[in-house]
Amino acid sequence: MKQHPATAMLGISLVIMLIALDQTVVGTALPSIVADLKGYSLYPWIAAVYLLTNAIFIPIIGRLGDIHGRKPFLIGAIALFSIASMLCGIAGSMMQLVFARALQGAGGGMLVGSAFASVPDLFPDLKERVRWQVMLSSAFGIASAVGPALGGVLTEHFGWRSVFYVNLPIGILALVMVWRYLPLIIHHQEERSGLDWLGVALLVATLFALLLTSELGASLGFLNPTLWALMAASLIFAYLFYRHQIQSQQPILPPHLLEHATVQLLSILSFLSGLMLFILVFYMPLLLQAGLSLSPKTAGGMVTPILFGITVGSIINGRVIMRIKRTRYVYCAGVACLLGGLFMLTQAGQETASIYLLTAFSLCGFGFGFQIPNLTLQMQSAVARADLGSSSALVQTLRTVGSMFGASIGGLVVNLSFNHAISAHLNQLGISDSRVSSLFQTPQILIRVSDQLQLQALAASLHLNAAELIEQGRLYLINGIHHALWLASGIAIVAIYVGLKLPNITNPHANVSDTLAETPDDYL
């Protein structure tokens, strides 16, 4: 019972749409979520816990897919992701939402760990795979293009909870398509019949320690011994994980991958890519809504060019990458394009024209479109076919870890800049009332109407100009986000330097066949 690869790719494309739609729709709604559930202090955690569980499950499922085939894990991932989306929608507090997002991140990690590695299973030849990648890029682009605007419309007219429910119909359709049309392809390697569960435990400990280090760094302070203890724990667990992978008989990440020079370069670039992407995507809605006073609907439309640019860049990249001998320059050109867009955004303010912002966002997205698929193609061409799942998972995991740090580091830079500036402004005005300083402790007041009304009530009794304070706070928030964008620009320069060391893409898996399940039960 063979299936045509086109129908299988349609199912995988729906999975990609599910991932992209969730990321873009939820991002637009985050300021409204924070305003409703009263938890700006947990704002970065909505993304961080998702990314943590995402990073944990990507390599695990990638390796299990190498051993047992990817289809059963992809089916389970779609089901888990859909259920978690429903739990996010019914969350009654920020803490409940954080826990639901952690579960959703686990499902998302299983999706990523299975979906991307399924493509080289279906298309061993690199040139053919690049052509079919356009289908995935289009699916990602469609979901990404409508995601921000859809998130804004849903948030404005139906409430933020609806942005999570939109995953359910896509998830059901994806589940049916994958169940029916995706074949079970198994790399028969009997010596890899299990998984290194001690390695899993060490991986979880490493990533959790990294998460705590990144998230608590701002509140603990650089000189706090607890922060240094967390840093030390992260390094110790990472070292133990690495040493154990070398000795393990069923490693999550095969040691020869970790020692491969090209894999090491691509690992660095994947991490840097996640850092830049999340600093940009996670804080642009906050800039537009809290800094520039745009509605969720308008803000969603404004950031759409980022995702549309990723799609266009990915499609163009797929057309040119196999026609260019020195493929490293394609990647570096993408980072340079991103760098130009980031610089434009560092100059943006309340008087900036919409066309300027749209151009900058398009440039950033176009640059990412040349980076993201290239890293995956480079990794898949650098390793043996039996390691496609693990190597693809490594790219996605490190990008996710980079995103986790991007959200945290971006938040640290933005919050420190905002707090320092607003505190200095209040001192300059001679405002010492703790109730006022408490309201301005975070930028939440810029998006929460009840906090603004409370400030107006205080201003009347203290003879303050509430509107002027709010407006000044917006300027300080914009300045803080500019600092985060300058940080992303510095990371882009490092990425160009590392990218120039990449080898050219090769096609090692052409004419290599794997075992394709032929019995009806193998398609269930």
Side-chain angles (χ1 to χ4, degrees), residues 70-82 107 110-111 175:
R70 312 194 197 284
K71 183 174 181 176
F73 300 105
L74 195 53
I75 291 173
I78 297 171
L80 178 60
F81 190 87
S82 300
M110 293 172 65
L111 289 175
L175 183 63

Side-chain angles (χ1 to χ4, degrees), residues 366-439:
F366 192 74
F368 276 119
F370 274 83
Q371 297 176 55
I372 295 174
N374 272 343
L375 294 177
T376 301
L377 288 171
Q378 283 269 14
M379 184 68 82
Q380 291 174 351
S381 69
V383 303
R385 185 159 177 76
D387 293 321
L388 284 175
S390 296
S391 61
S392 298
L394 181 61
V395 171
Q396 305 300 329
T397 299
L398 288 171
R399 185 183 299 149
T400 301
V401 172
S403 298
M404 184 171 70
F405 273 86
S408 302
I409 294 173
L412 175 63
V413 172
V414 171
N415 291 336
L416 286 179
S417 177
F418 177 82
N419 291 336
H420 176 76
I422 198 67
S423 297
H425 185 68
L426 293 177
N427 290 334
Q428 184 180 5
L429 295 177
I431 301 174
S432 57
D433 193 292
S434 61
R435 294 170 297 177
V436 176
S437 58
S438 176
L439 285 172

